[in-house]
Amino acid sequence: MVAQTVTIKDIAKLANVSIATVSRVLNHNGKVKSSTKTKIQRVIDKMNFKPNAYARDLVRSRVSSLGVIYPHFSFDCHAFIGISQKNTAAPLPAFIAQTAHSELEEGVCIQNMNASYCSGIVLCQSRATTQTLNSWAKKLPHLFCIDRQLTSSPFQNVTFNHLEAGVLQATEALKNGGKYGIVIHSTKMDHASSQRFAGTIGRLSGSKHNIEFETFHIDLCNIDSSIELVMKHEAQFKRADFVIAENDFSAYGVVEALKALAVNIPHEVTVIGFGNHMISTISYPKLTTVQYPFHQMLHEVVHRIEKQTIQTNQFRPTLVKRQTS
């Protein structure tokens, strides 16, 4: 759970002064008697009070710090470091954390970033329940969720068109003119992955050419599970002209297994991943993948904090073409 914090209103009440007086002391703005300053400071020290960065930055119409919480690290981890404050052009301080897909760890990371006085906290691909997610958002108006819908506050949603990402994966897979393909996805699909799957299947089914394809379901779309899948269904994978994986980890496993089977990539088979994770460049050959417009999404978070308005809800995927297509 996210802890309740002491507010400027609490400090004013305990010091028996106005909120404006406390604000002047905190911001060193305006004249306040020395005795009053001392009294307020004693209360601040006793309550271990720290100014709310989000509220302070709302007044100043700028973002002073931004934290990003990931389920796992990828290229996108560094995309937000170059985001600048519009009024100062100074880079935002970097607060980065990863949760290893743990809901418990998400809560810990949110607490830590809130305690670090980030004026904006970005939670990417949360694994929390909808109820938990909405409870966090209600307590922390500076928490923004990428790739999860919040029913409590559409303002804090920053979502991405996964259906289009699936279409983009399939379109790239078909460019080499193949007739038979394989689509790998998880048996535990969330909304995002199910949308990508729908986009992929829709594009393949709607092709003007006679495309034959199979879908394989695995519990975990990771490297080991994907290698095991390829080896188990060796005949189908050696016959395939293209393989579309749910994520880059799965795609990496497919590439490793196909190389072990002496299948030439991309001349005999095209492999397409998703996510543009670091592993996509470690792979040999390097993975063709589809990525989030993550930099634009983070810019949108900054805009919403600073301007308190939604600039756009339209975020589109892009293809990162490398060596497996």
Side-chain angles (χ1 to χ4, degrees):
M1 296 296 291
V2 178
Q4 297 290 335
T5 56
V6 178
T7 68
I8 190 173
K9 185 177 179 180
D10 298 325
I11 298 299
K13 185 177 180 180
L14 290 169
N16 195 27
V17 296
S18 69
I19 293 173
T21 301
V22 177
S23 179
R24 285 195 292 271
V25 171
L26 292 172
N27 293 295
H28 308 287
N29 181 23
K31 294 182 179 180
V32 180
K33 288 182 180 180
S34 297
S35 57
T36 304
K37 282 184 182 180
T38 301
K39 180 170 64 172
I40 292 172
Q41 190 60 53
R42 283 175 181 167
V43 174
I44 288 172
D45 294 341
K46 182 179 179 181
M47 301 303 294
N48 194 28
F49 172 76
K50 299 293 181 182
N52 183 292
Y54 178 66
R56 183 187 63 229
D57 287 349
L58 280 181
V59 174
R60 297 176 179 176
S61 295
R62 70 176 181 85
V63 174
S64 59
S65 60
L66 191 68
V68 182
I69 301 170
Y70 296 86
H72 46 250
F73 288 143
S74 71
F75 275 140
D76 294 337
C77 294
H78 306 288
F80 80 101
I81 295 176
I83 294 178
S84 297
Q85 301 168 22
K86 296 177 183 177
N87 58 340
T88 64
L92 298 175
F95 294 90
I96 305 176
Q98 70 96 19
T99 64
H101 299 276
S102 165
E103 180 181 342
L104 179 62
E105 188 61 26
E106 281 183 16
V108 172
C109 289
I110 290 171
Q111 272 193 312
N112 290 341
M113 286 192 176
N114 193 48
S116 297
Y117 319 116
C118 292
S119 53
I121 301 172
V122 182
L123 181 58
C124 305
Q125 299 174 309
S126 174
R127 294 303 188 266
T129 64
T130 300
Q131 183 179 7
T132 299
L133 206 58
N134 280 294
S135 69
W136 286 341
K138 286 177 181 178
K139 293 175 182 176
L140 301 172
H142 54 301
L143 176 68
F144 291 81
C145 293
I146 285 182
D147 251 8
R148 281 292 301 272
Q149 292 284 347
L150 288 169
T151 55
S152 63
S153 174
F155 181 77
Q156 291 171 260
N157 291 332
V158 186
T159 54
F160 164 73
N161 191 335
H162 281 275
L163 187 70
E164 188 175 349
V167 172
L168 197 56
Q169 282 182 294
T171 300
E172 179 64 17
L174 293 173
K175 281 186 177 178
N176 287 338
K179 298 295 183 182
Y180 171 71
I182 291 172
V183 180
I184 302 172
H185 66 95
S186 172
T187 55
K188 303 172 182 178
M189 287 192 294
D190 56 19
H191 177 75
S193 56
S194 64
Q195 285 291 299
R196 285 200 306 278
F197 180 71
T200 297
I201 299 304
R203 175 67 179 86
L204 295 177
S205 301
S207 174
K208 295 178 181 178
H209 307 288
N210 294 321
I211 302 298
E212 181 187 355
F213 62 89
E214 290 187 67
T215 60
F216 287 98
H217 311 260
I218 52 180
D219 288 341
L220 296 173
C221 283
N222 58 22
I223 296 171
D224 292 339
S225 296
S226 296
I227 290 174
E228 184 180 340
L229 178 70
V230 174
M231 295 307 182
K232 183 178 179 181
H233 301 277
E234 178 181 337
Q236 289 98 316
F237 277 90
K238 291 180 78 172
R239 178 191 162 206
D241 298 304
F242 62 84
V243 178
I244 299 172
E246 180 169 317
N247 58 42
D248 289 338
F249 298 97
S250 178
Y252 180 93
V254 169
V255 168
E256 290 302 297
L258 289 175
K259 286 194 299 185
L261 295 174
V263 176
N264 190 298
I265 305 167
H267 301 292
E268 294 180 78
V269 59
T270 291
V271 181
I272 311 294
F274 176 80
N276 196 26
H277 298 289
M278 191 71 74
I279 200 169
S280 63
T281 59
I282 297 173
S283 170
Y284 180 78
K286 294 178 180 179
L287 281 172
T288 293
T289 184
V290 173
Q291 71 175 1
Y292 287 91
F294 199 72
H295 197 263
Q296 295 94 314
M297 295 168 90
L298 287 171
H299 268 296
E300 176 66 17
V301 170
V302 173
H303 173 87
R304 293 186 189 186
I305 295 172
E306 291 181 346
K307 306 299 183 185
Q308 287 299 288
T309 59
I310 295 175
Q311 183 171 246
T312 182
N313 283 312
Q314 299 298 317
F315 299 100
R316 304 183 65 182
T318 54
L319 179 74
V320 182
K321 189 174 177 67
R322 294 195 179 101
Q323 298 168 333
T324 59
S325 70

